[in-house]
């Protein structure tokens, strides 16, 4: 016959199992409920961190009114999203759909050079021959590889189909970020308390490092890429390019992964000189050159400590974020991966050499 102590221990064990089961059920259920909003909250947090310096200055200008400053900043961001960003976004989606359709149908081709190129001084004849030969060769290659590109076309169509949901997520993220801005100090305190339980000796440094990395990538990489893409898209529209939205989207991608917009700008400028009069071509060329060099001016201003994250990490973040979360992941992915990279490097440095210096010293 079992003793009373054994019965008591069995009852306690049963209670413990029930409590742990209920806790696991609660955690799982909570995760299922908030999972659809994960990317929205992540992008909202990124926006809140990135715009916090502007928010603080604006609140001081408005006489210490944080809610009014947050409302104005949110209104401006929503106006940009609903206005020029939506205008170019619709064009990009249509361009992606057309491009995917051409890949599926096997009709994609590189246009032949206009006859007017032959009349250009000095380089006209040589450029025409090079362009014509390249067009013919590329067309032949594309015919051979088109069957293998159809899966890519399907992925592009899926990405374009996700654009509508992505736009809604963007709008919700901006609105949520606006609500977060006035509570920045509370959020920082909560983050500090969370990190103090994980890395008590380096919680302050890791929090500063995470914030600095988010601002560096959000402002100095993604922010500049968005500005360049918007301005480039406006230039492409003024030039009358049919796929202006798609080209602007490509500029966005190339700028985020640090390749630069010149890959798109040079062919566009070349096309402009074949299709427009001299005055119009000169003005558009000057505008696009300024847009292409914009990152050289803005990066020193927006990236105070510089970006130490390797380009490969950002590229993987762009690809992985897009595949996992669609268009919002295109922006969230490189930021999350950059923060993870910087914190991992800092953690390894801490283990090797003890406490490391503050972010301001890096």
């Amino acid at each position: 016959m079992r003793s009373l102590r054994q019965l008591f221990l069995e009852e306690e064990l049963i209670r413990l199992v029930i409590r742990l089961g209920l806790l696991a059920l609660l955690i799982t259920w909570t995760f299922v409920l908030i999972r659809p909003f994960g990317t929205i909250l992540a992008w909202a947090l990124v926006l809140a961190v990135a715009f916090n310096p502007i928010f603080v200055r604006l609140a001081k200008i408005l006489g210490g009114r944080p809610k009014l400053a947050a409302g104005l900043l949110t209104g401006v961001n929503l106006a940009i999203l609903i206005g020029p960003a939506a205008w170019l976004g619709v064009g990009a989606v249509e361009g992606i759909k057309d491009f995917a359709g051409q890949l599926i149908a096997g009709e994609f081709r590189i246009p032949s050079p206009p006859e007017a190129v032959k009349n250009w001084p000095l380089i006209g004849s040589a450029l025409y021959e090079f362009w014509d030969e390249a067009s013919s060769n590329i067309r032949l290659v594309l015919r051979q590889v088109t069957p293998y590109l159809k899966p890519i076309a399907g992925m592009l169509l899926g990405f374009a189909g996700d654009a509508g949901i992505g736009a809604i997520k963007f709008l919700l993220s901006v609105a949520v970020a606006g609500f977060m801005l006035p509570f920045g100090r509370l959020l920082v305190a909560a983050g500090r308390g969370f990190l103090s339980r994980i890395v008590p000796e380096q919680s302050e440094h890791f929090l500063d490092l995470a914030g600095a990395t988010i601002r560096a990538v959000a402002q100095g990489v993604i922010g500049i890429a968005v500005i360049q893409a918007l301005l480039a898209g406006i230039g492409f529209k003024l030039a009358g390019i049919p796929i202006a939205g798609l080209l602007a989207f490509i500029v966005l991608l190339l700028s985020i992964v640090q390749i630069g917009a010149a890959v798109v700008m040079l062919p566009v400028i070349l096309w402009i000189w074949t299709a427009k009069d001299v005055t119009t071509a000169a003005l558009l060329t000057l505008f696009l050159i300024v847009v292409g060099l914009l990152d050289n001016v803005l990066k020193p201003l927006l990236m105070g400590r510089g970006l130490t994250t390797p380009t490969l990490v950002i590229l993987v973040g762009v690809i992985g974020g897009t595949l996992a979360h669609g268009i919002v992941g295109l922006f969230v992915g490189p930021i999350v991966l950059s923060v993870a990279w910087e914190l991992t490097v800092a953690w390894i440095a801490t283990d090797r050499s003890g406490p490391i210096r503050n972010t301001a010293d890096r």
Side-chain angles (χ1 to χ4, degrees):
M1 185 175 180
R2 291 178 297 177
S3 64
L4 292 175
R5 180 177 177 80
Q6 289 177 327
L7 291 174
F8 177 75
L9 290 175
E10 289 178 358
E11 290 179 359
E12 286 295 318
L13 180 61
I14 292 173
R15 291 194 188 97
L16 178 61
V17 170
I18 292 174
R19 289 171 185 170
L20 291 176
L22 290 174
L23 180 61
L25 177 63
L26 181 62
I27 293 173
T28 303
W29 200 353
T30 302
F31 176 76
V32 170
L33 292 174
I34 67 173
R35 184 180 178 183
F37 304 96
T39 52
I40 296 175
L41 293 175
W43 186 233
L45 182 61
V46 167
L47 291 175
V49 173
F51 285 112
N52 186 67
I54 300 175
F55 163 73
V56 172
R57 294 192 193 98
L58 185 59
K60 289 181 179 179
I61 293 173
L62 295 174
R65 298 178 182 177
K67 292 183 178 180
L68 179 59
L72 288 175
L73 198 56
T74 303
V76 171
N77 290 332
L78 288 174
I80 293 173
L81 275 178
I82 296 173
W87 174 53
L88 288 175
V90 171
V93 170
E94 293 300 322
I96 291 173
K97 288 181 178 178
D98 291 342
F99 178 68
Q102 290 177 7
L103 286 181
I104 293 174
E107 298 175 351
F108 181 74
R109 61 186 181 85
I110 303 297
S112 299
E115 292 292 331
V117 175
K118 287 183 178 180
N119 301 324
W120 289 7
L122 299 178
I123 63 171
S125 179
L127 179 60
Y128 180 89
E129 292 179 4
F130 174 78
W131 188 343
D132 186 59
E133 184 178 354
S135 176
S136 302
N137 293 337
I138 292 174
R139 192 179 299 123
L140 180 62
V141 172
L142 287 174
R143 284 176 185 167
Q144 296 175 351
V145 302
T146 291
Y148 305 99
L149 296 178
K150 290 183 178 180
I152 299 177
M155 185 182 68
L156 290 175
L157 287 174
F159 181 78
D162 179 64
I165 298 176
I168 296 174
K169 288 183 177 180
F170 266 110
L171 293 174
L172 290 175
S173 297
V174 171
V176 173
F179 284 107
M180 287 182 176
L181 284 171
F183 303 99
R185 292 182 179 178
L186 295 177
L187 292 174
V188 170
R192 185 180 292 110
F194 176 75
L195 287 176
S196 65
R197 296 179 179 274
I198 302 175
V199 281
E201 296 181 357
Q202 294 294 328
S203 60
E204 193 72 31
H205 169 73
F206 282 2
L207 186 65
D208 292 341
L209 180 59
T213 303
I214 290 174
R215 279 189 289 272
V217 179
Q219 297 175 2
V221 177
I222 293 178
I224 293 175
V226 170
I227 293 173
Q228 277 190 301
L230 287 175
L231 293 177
I234 292 172
F236 299 157
K237 285 282 188 180
L238 292 175
I241 298 176
I243 55 172
L246 177 58
L247 291 178
F249 181 72
I250 295 174
V251 169
L252 175 68
L253 289 177
L254 294 176
S255 299
I256 290 177
V257 299
Q258 307 295 290
I259 294 176
V263 177
V264 176
M265 295 293 189
L266 293 178
V268 168
I269 290 174
L270 189 62
W271 179 87
I272 289 173
W273 281 94
T274 64
K276 302 293 179 182
D277 60 87
V278 176
T279 303
T280 304
L283 291 175
L284 288 173
T285 299
L286 179 61
F287 176 76
L288 292 178
I289 289 176
V290 171
V291 171
L293 298 176
L294 202 59
D295 58 337
N296 296 323
V297 178
L298 292 180
K299 278 185 179 179
L301 298 176
L302 297 179
M303 295 173 62
R305 74 177 186 92
L307 183 64
T308 59
T309 306
T311 301
L312 181 61
V313 173
I314 296 177
L315 177 60
V316 172
V318 168
I319 297 173
T322 304
L323 293 177
H325 302 293
I327 193 169
V328 178
L330 170 67
F331 302 100
V332 176
I335 294 176
V336 172
L337 214 56
S338 296
V339 172
W341 172 271
E342 292 287 349
L343 291 180
T344 302
V345 171
W347 203 329
I348 293 172
T350 303
D351 290 339
R352 288 180 177 177
S353 58
I356 48 182
R357 294 174 295 173
N358 200 318
T359 305
D361 300 327
R362 294 185 67 198

